[in-house]
Amino acid sequence: MAVDSTAGKAGKKKTGSDSILYIGLDLGTSQSAIATSNGVRINTASVVGWPKDLISFKLHQKPILFGDECQRNRMSLDLFYPLEKGVIYSKSSNAKEPEDAERKSAAPAEFIRHMIYLAEPKEKQQVYLVVGAPAEASVDDKQAIINATEGLVDSVLVVSQPFLVAYGLGMYGFTLVVDIGAGTMDICRMHGTIPGESDQKTSFKAGTFIDDMLYNLLSSKYPRANLTKSMATQFKDKYAFVGDINEQISVELIIDEKPTRCDITNEVKEACESIIPELVSTLRNLITTFDPEFQANLQENMLLAGCVSRMKGMPHLIEHSLANLGKVDVNIVEDPVFAGAIGALKLGEDMPLSEWQQM
Ligand SMILES: Nc1ncnc2c1ncn2[C@@H]1O[C@H](COP(=O)(O)OP(=O)(O)OP(=O)(O)O)[C@@H](O)[C@H]1O
Ligand SMILES: [Mg+2]
């Protein structure tokens, strides 16, 4: 669902333009971004870190760290990720130790608190928050996000992430939006009204799925190489492509303690293309189950968002794979990092007061 009436809560709004700070939050599996009505635009890694011990606490001089600062200091921190596969941790998950479970369940609220702090609300200013969630997030998943904002905001809405991307770009008419992030691939069919459940699809064939496959393929091809998952992610971010390219991709790996140049072209292609069949079949399904008179409008207005959409050759391969349906036109959003947060901010600012209060 897009704007879900079960997925929000609101306090009483004060009047006056400056009395409310609107925040659009794209809460992502690997990174999150905010866009606010006071002009703040910030993105950071979605991670919370607690110092491992006394020495680490002395080093950092703070009880908790967030985002990119955690990445830089990961050796001395216990890291927790607020989202897994696009949804926030729920207590039933099987964390190893009680302390881990406690921190894991605290991480989403701590992270959201930090993002709101970065938004610089003024004293006494009310905070109205719109959060992007996976297209098919369950009522429970949305409620978990709302619960994590308890006491931090005056009102909150949880809205389909690809819908927010389209809304931010003013694409209210026929559009198929695809947002491929680290944890989820979210697809939304827009047709001039708030999209319904049948217009939205979520799959876990996304960035982390590609990373795991690339790591496994490279580990089989170069079994004696000193390889980590994080290296596989870095190779993907730098070289990701689908379809055909005219160049060879080679990287330096340490094999038997010696730096060695290794060809990874076929492995990068196979891993990156592993998400394409599901993407194409979902798009085909959303097109062919639509009113036949308007199917062409959908396929001529496809929009790719999310950082995995930056894989070279994506628009061409999708257009080629759906060519038997007729003319297909695929474009990529200019700013995949902030498109969702900007759409969330715009929706928050546009939403009439009465609508917020009905949530
Ligand atoms: N040029 C690139 N080509 C392919 N993948 C990339 C590229 N740059 C970043 N990525 C990958 O994109 C993913 C992050 O994208 P994004 O920030 O849209 O996801 P997210 O919002 O954190 O996740 P989600 O929306 O699934 O919760 C990561 O898997 C990252 O490795
Ligand atoms: Mg995302």
Side-chain angles (χ1 to χ4, degrees):
M1 285 188 86
V3 183
D4 183 342
S5 59
T6 63
K9 69 177 170 96
K12 275 194 183 162
K13 272 190 178 185
K14 292 176 186 169
T15 47
S17 59
D18 218 24
S19 63
I20 299 168
L21 175 66
Y22 292 98
I23 304 176
L25 169 61
D26 174 356
L27 196 55
T29 303
S30 76
Q31 60 173 333
S32 295
I34 50 167
T36 74
S37 53
N38 57 355
V40 172
R41 303 279 184 276
I42 292 177
N43 75 304
T44 193
S46 302
V47 57
V48 179
W50 277 272
K52 278 187 172 162
D53 54 25
L54 180 69
I55 306 301
S56 164
F57 179 76
K58 293 251 179 209
L59 173 70
H60 300 300
Q61 292 291 311
K62 42 189 153 183
I64 186 165
L65 287 80
F66 299 95
D68 298 343
E69 199 180 4
C70 292
Q71 310 279 48
R72 291 194 297 274
N73 295 288
R74 64 181 180 275
M75 301 295 288
S76 58
L77 300 173
D78 287 325
L79 297 182
F80 292 85
Y81 296 87
L83 275 95
E84 264 170 33
K85 295 187 170 174
V87 297
I88 70 178
Y89 170 76
S90 80
K91 277 185 190 134
S92 59
S93 171
N94 53 353
K96 272 181 266 155
E97 296 165 22
E99 190 192 25
D100 273 2
E102 211 172 283
R103 286 183 166 177
K104 214 170 173 196
S105 62
E110 293 291 356
F111 186 74
I112 292 170
R113 183 195 306 279
H114 175 68
M115 295 308 277
I116 291 169
Y117 161 80
L118 294 178
E120 299 175 5
K122 290 192 203 129
E123 211 184 328
K124 299 208 173 129
Q125 201 173 27
Q126 290 193 316
V127 174
Y128 276 56
L129 178 70
V130 179
V131 187
E136 283 188 303
S138 68
V139 171
D140 285 353
D141 292 338
K142 289 177 183 166
Q143 190 57 48
I145 295 174
I146 293 167
N147 294 347
T149 66
E150 189 83 51
L152 302 175
V153 300
D154 295 278
S155 301
V156 59
L157 288 177
V158 180
V159 181
S160 155
Q161 176 71 16
F163 167 78
L164 290 176
V165 169
Y167 192 87
L169 294 169
M171 299 175 79
Y172 315 115
F174 298 109
T175 312
L176 270 175
V177 191
V178 179
D179 181 336
I180 315 176
T184 57
M185 173 199 289
D186 294 295
I187 305 182
C188 177
R189 183 169 63 187
M190 300 279 296
H191 44 82
T193 59
I194 290 173
E197 270 178 45
S198 61
D199 296 314
Q200 315 235 26
K201 302 286 171 214
T202 294
S203 144
F204 299 122
K205 296 258 174 86
T208 307
F209 180 88
I210 298 173
D211 295 344
D212 291 344
M213 180 174 281
L214 182 57
Y215 174 76
N216 291 335
L217 290 169
L218 294 179
S219 301
S220 318
K221 184 168 182 184
Y222 300 108
R224 299 202 311 281
N226 204 347
L227 189 72
T228 63
K229 282 211 173 169
S230 140
M231 287 163 70
T233 304
Q234 284 168 34
F235 297 154
K236 178 204 64 181
D237 290 356
K238 191 159 177 197
Y239 299 112
F241 76 97
V242 294
D244 296 318
I245 52 164
N246 291 325
E247 59 201 274
Q248 189 200 38
I249 301 168
S250 68
V251 295
E252 201 165 86
L253 297 177
I254 307 293
I255 300 183
D256 298 335
E257 299 179 2
K258 279 197 303 258
T260 311
R261 240 336 71 217
C262 298
D263 181 355
I264 62 167
T265 318
N266 291 339
E267 290 69 29
V268 171
K269 177 179 165 78
E270 187 177 341
C272 293
E273 289 186 353
S274 66
I275 67 168
I276 300 297
E278 186 159 338
L279 169 59
V280 168
S281 72
T282 307
L283 288 171
R284 186 182 295 279
N285 177 267
L286 285 170
I287 293 166
T288 54
T289 56
F290 201 55
D291 185 327
E293 263 188 74
F294 300 109
Q295 288 179 9
N297 302 61
L298 280 181
Q299 64 202 53
E300 286 171 20
N301 284 296
M302 291 199 205
L303 187 66
L304 300 183
C307 291
V308 175
S309 300
R310 289 172 171 169
M311 294 198 294
K312 284 186 210 93
M314 281 285 276
H316 180 72
L317 186 60
I318 296 170
E319 286 166 3
H320 180 75
S321 305
L322 293 171
N324 66 338
L325 296 177
K327 186 171 179 283
V328 178
D329 199 358
V330 181
N331 289 292
I332 303 184
V333 294
E334 260 177 48
D335 186 352
V337 174
F338 284 101
I342 288 170
L345 170 63
K346 187 165 178 249
L347 182 72
E349 289 180 323
D350 289 351
M351 187 72 86
L353 294 185
S354 56
E355 291 288 323
W356 277 93
Q357 285 165 351
Q358 276 166 23
M359 296 296 157

